[in-house]
Amino acid sequence: MSTRQIQYREALNEAMSEEMERDDRVFLMGEEVAYYNGAYKVSQGMLERFGPRRVVDSPISETGFAGLGVGAAMYGLRPIIEFMSWSFCLVAADQIINNAPKMLYMSGGQFPIPCVFRGNNGAGGQLGSTHSWAVESMFSSVPGLKMAIPATPRDAKGLLKTAIRDDDPVFFLESERMLGLGARGGKDFSRYLQNNWAPPTVEEDDDFLIPFGQADIKKQGTDCTIVALGRPVHFALEAAEALEAEGISCEVIDPRTVRPLDIDSIIKSVRKTNYCVVVDQSWPFASVGSEIACQIYERAMDDLDNKVIRVHNDDVPAPYARALEQEMLPNARKIAEAVRQVTYNA
Amino acid sequence: MSTRQIQYREALNEAMSEEMERDDRVFLMGEEVAYYNGAYKVSQGMLERFGPRRVVDSPISETGFAGLGVGAAMYGLRPIIEFMSWSFCLVAADQIINNAPKMLYMSGGQFPIPCVFRGNNGAGGQLGSTHSWAVESMFSSVPGLKMAIPATPRDAKGLLKTAIRDDDPVFFLESERMLGLGARGGKDFSRYLQNNWAPPTVEEDDDFLIPFGQADIKKQGTDCTIVALGRPVHFALEAAEALEAEGISCEVIDPRTVRPLDIDSIIKSVRKTNYCVVVDQSWPFASVGSEIACQIYERAMDDLDNKVIRVHNDDVPAPYARALEQEMLPNARKIAEAVRQVTYNA
Amino acid sequence: MTTATGVKAELRPSESLSASDLKGMLARMMLIRRFEERTAQSYQQAKIGGFCHLYIGQEAVAVGSITALKGDDPIITAYRDHGHALARGMDPRYAMAEMFGKATGCAKGKGGSMHFFDKPHHMYGGHAIVGGQCPLGVGLAFAIQYEKKDNVAVCYLGDGALNQGAFHEAMNLAAIWRLPIIFVVENNMYSMGTHIARGTSMAEDLGKKAEAYGMPFERCDGKDVLATYDCFKRLADAMRGSTCKALGFDEDQGSGPAFVEAVTYRYKGHSMSDPQKYRSRDEVSEWEERDPITSLTNYLLERGTATQEEIKELDANAKKISLEAVKYATESEDLGVDELFTDVYVNPFGPYKKGQPPLLMLDSDESDESAEEPGESGDESGDAGDEQGDTDDEQSDEPADNDESGAADDEAK
Amino acid sequence: MTTATGVKAELRPSESLSASDLKGMLARMMLIRRFEERTAQSYQQAKIGGFCHLYIGQEAVAVGSITALKGDDPIITAYRDHGHALARGMDPRYAMAEMFGKATGCAKGKGGSMHFFDKPHHMYGGHAIVGGQCPLGVGLAFAIQYEKKDNVAVCYLGDGALNQGAFHEAMNLAAIWRLPIIFVVENNMYSMGTHIARGTSMAEDLGKKAEAYGMPFERCDGKDVLATYDCFKRLADAMRGSTCKALGFDEDQGSGPAFVEAVTYRYKGHSMSDPQKYRSRDEVSEWEERDPITSLTNYLLERGTATQEEIKELDANAKKISLEAVKYATESEDLGVDELFTDVYVNPFGPYKKGQPPLLMLDSDESDESAEEPGESGDESGDAGDEQGDTDDEQSDEPADNDESGAADDEAK
Ligand SMILES: Cc1ncc(C[n+]2csc(CCOP(=O)(O)OP(=O)(O)O)c2C)c(N)n1
Ligand SMILES: Cc1ncc(C[n+]2csc(CCOP(=O)(O)OP(=O)(O)O)c2C)c(N)n1
Ligand SMILES: [Mg+2]
Ligand SMILES: [Mg+2]
């Protein structure tokens, strides 16, 4: 395995840059993506490399520039539209969940929308209620879009390259709290991984694509399946590590994309472990977590030795105060408790 | 039981008018609600009765007037904001799911938002993808709001009066296809009901409120529970009637509000019948249906003699063509099939 | 745009139009009128469902503006879209079939009246959320500039859309990047039942809306097809090749975006179920007296460009094509229920399948030709007049379980 | 608003301000400045988390405008809200405690820096979605008119919000209904790293934005607190009692809404982690030379309204209050985790509970008085100077499971 060190944000940058080299129709637009080099430095250096035609600063007009992306995609371009945060996509909701995912259908197949919407999702750290959206549960119910939620630099690169080449609109959910991931050694769970944290360089593989709809077993285990997506994958790994010490072997499975959802791999894991905890960084009601749990019951009820436990945000708006926010979000402690609770009868 | 004939739209009108008589702080605002008497005649006569200060035509500025409602509520008024259709609320998403439900929390309890957002929800009949939203699954995951989906004129009146008096923001989901309900005798399932279709007049009861969070058993039965909300309640009753002939006795239970959700009553019914079908007029993934099914598994797995079957919209954008739209929506045939399938092993 | 003294000197672009150009414009307006009459009739017969908005009275706006454009200039509009599609050359058969929900429809029956799309004719829809098409239009213009094309995008909107944030964000983006786009508000005075003066500030001087974005403004008589043509021809020609330094182009070129108010009027209700209590019969009559078809007809007759017989023939042809469209739509196959899961994704997964392209995409060469005279490929003969057509009542197909109220039938839409 | 000849004749409203009024305004600006310095310091010490935007440099806008209003005129603003809250009379202790996430905060620590609310002082927030407060502001003005109150609402926004649809919809609604609201764009030239000229068309003449809605426009020197006062005093007084016939009021009264551009500048970065490469040190220095606090100080000294000693004392007091606020915030209790489920619903159900009102609501009588001189109730003495305060590192409390990247710490916010 390569020992490459690369941050999540750099992986995103690599994916975009490689695809922009490859295809002139790809461009990046968003607030502060160009001259500022990205509010979170994801697009660092891209203006210099590709020029202002292809790396475009937009005013604070999410409806305007998200819609611009859809229109440009109708014309044949392949826009990457950056939301500084998915929390700011709500002012553009109509453009992204009406126009983007329904255009192909409404036009009888005439107008594909090969557009990627991407940005930070989930609590950024004490930003308060309106700035701490995790939009996966709200938007994954919309047919016509695809949704990816990468948890490692490797997945970030591989999935984003796939997203950019995909002919359908892709909602790409990153996380402010993961952008620096890969920079430090401390919380590196790569010992569990089949693949490294890091993606290959363009020299190593100039066509590194991770297909949508393929779950990744982030850690193998035998006693309980933990399904997690995005940032919570790391909480799950941390919980799994703690539980290992207690003699509970967890399998951490990361669907990586929600639409399509690789339910088969999840079911396979549950059939093996007979226990399952589902972790979801959004709110409990009508969520990705309830959907996954529900599908597990539907497909594998006889294989379950207990009910599925779901770990979500608490069902309250995100508070500012640090302790409260910590308590409200899913974390390793909650996941470990859920696993202990669900495997109690094992 | 009273033999009052009243349409669903008239029941809504009665609820608003009675509350406006009662409390000067209540006003109605929306597109065409005043001089046009409502695009769907729900507010018929209200301009004449209450004058232009309290029944206000707005331009096509959903962000503007939904936000106006939230601001006016902060000041102490009690706005009723009508969306001609919930499909048009997407351009106002930020105002209704950020500002309305989070203001109380973000202000540490200083600013309640006693505002009702109401309008048609669900497919109106061949309106195409962007006009056929059923928003319950998307928005019910948002803490801070309440959501009611009445299925009869009685529930429409009783729940809307409660909504207007409630100090929290309420999303009130009506249906274009139900507005005329009560006008014809044909599809009247009132023989099953504990209560009539019709609400009392103000003379009969000047304080007719239906509390939130209380499910209503629309039809009693012993063999299978059908959970349905809004328009699908009628499909469920029709299916139940057909199944009665086949010797399957269905209990049709209508939660009436999604937030709060009266899961206890649902569980009670399932404990009795041991079988359950959940009907939901929105899309399957991460839906109200998956949530209800999931909670049933979590609370009553041992009482279930089979898995729960969910009946949803097909997971595609709403098509225009009539036959396709019919096929895509939940209907009595699909529900009956689901009941037969789920009770197969009974 | 022209000084008081310059007005006379400058040739109006429409003065260069040939007799056949002019007759073509008349023919196209007549086609829209007759087609819409058939649409109304078919809606009454319940062959068409959903919401349906007629373009009758506004024909000069679509025909005048689109005639002034190049065939590959992208256009986009709102839900009142039949006129734009026909003006652009969409085969009327596909247009009618779409509303009948047939597989031969321009969008295979998946879009309906409010969602007409015609990629071969660079018609980017038919959009039903008020104002929602404006950012899309900006996207088209951005793509034109990005690809260094010599085109101009035209984005139509109703006066009601002036009150939507999407319109304003779109205007600003177009302005700062000098995108080649003409925003056209078809000011027919009403959004549903609301007169523009009740809903829009400065309704009396919409030029102020353009000034707010530093954009040139033109008010054109949208009842006069030649005035409309002139307005668009000048603006579009000046705009071609628009570029913007801020987007890395060497220098600013072309005139950048513009805003047009086309003053017009719809003779019919907002949709098929509008009691129209908000306006007087007199008001409607007054506007009908300035009918764009009548005006152009008289103009052509007065100038001797066309004879009375030619005019009659053009109208007969419009009727013939429209009737043929109904016949075609009636006889076409319903869209199969197996198409429910197609066209959701280009790269499908799970239950989804690849869709067949609509007919209109397959014969795009043919239909590019027919852009000259849409729908002439039909060989049906005879004037349809007030004939009611075949009335197989599709309502009777309605499954009982979806018919508990019938509300959708009798409401304003 | 005044003719060339009328300028001299008309008395500037600020000329009627008493010496103590003027010193009060200076004191309030000094308080904001010193408070924000403490805020910055506390943020560096990680006592404050999340996003934090300082008001340093813009003090004259909040103080000038708010002094011109009646105490119960509702105000609403964006996330850069500390200055408005303090100008309105929020107790600085509650303000600081809010940022420390303490139970004594104005919103009990649930809102944070971007979401300051003070109901007793008619401060309707602190709103973090750009432009999102504009429709709310219109709602306040609508309610004023509905209730026939003699008030005026003031809605502040950043120049970046000019590009949001919400702003435009709000402007139009206010205009057609003649609502008593002043929209104030605090034009500090930048939205994050984007100069207004790059993001907003007609940046050079924002009056055009007002004209588009038929609204009166005033450009005021937002670095000059008295000019700002004059501007708001005139507008607000003319506006009181605004009504609208269309809303059923007998006749139109009051002048209806207005739009103000307050030209200003922020000295610090957009937020606490902004490298500020988009502007030169020189540019910042130039603006710092026109400092509103220095200007008013000099003016008072020149006119003999205040002595050097008085000025020093005012500043010392501002420092004292700010330090006291930090001390108060530091010593306050953390918000209990059991408050997670309070304040979600007024009428709770299931897991939700009724919340206790914030302290600020409980002592609203007291704080209504302190609106005259906010925070003076503190009895802490001594100048804080550059003292670093106690630095118990709250970062060390951070549970390991939420610390895998630390991205939130080092990014632009
Ligand atoms: C965002 C949104 N709100 C409301 C509607 C409902 N609606 C459809 S058409 C219409 C009136 C639009 O009037 P205008 O823009 O003037 O266009 P016209 O009908 O005159 O062509 C309204 C309110 C909608 N489609 N979208
Ligand atoms: C809708 C939305 N988009 C993006 C952001 C992120 N954001 C926060 S502040 C800001 C800049 C705003 O600038 P301006 O309005 O000029 O206010 P200032 O910071 O100068 O006070 C941006 C882009 C946001 N909060 N909301
Ligand atoms: Mg109109
Ligand atoms: Mg600014």
Side-chain angles (χ1 to χ4, degrees), chain A residues 31 60 62 84 88 91 131, chain D residues 79-80 128-130 158-161 164 188 190-192 266 270:
Chain A
E31 290 154 18
I60 314 174
E62 281 82 357
M84 198 178 281
F88 310 147
V91 293
H131 269 52
Chain D
Y79 49 86
R80 195 179 297 283
I129 299 296
V130 168
D159 44 291
Q164 271 287 329
N188 61 10
Y190 293 94
S191 54
M192 215 168 259
R266 64 166 157 75
H270 165 73

Side-chain angles (χ1 to χ4, degrees), chain A residues 37-55:
Chain A
N37 279 296
Y40 296 90
K41 303 289 170 257
V42 170
S43 53
Q44 181 91 50
M46 287 178 64
L47 171 65
E48 204 178 327
R49 180 157 170 196
F50 297 104
R53 172 172 158 266
R54 301 188 64 198
V55 182

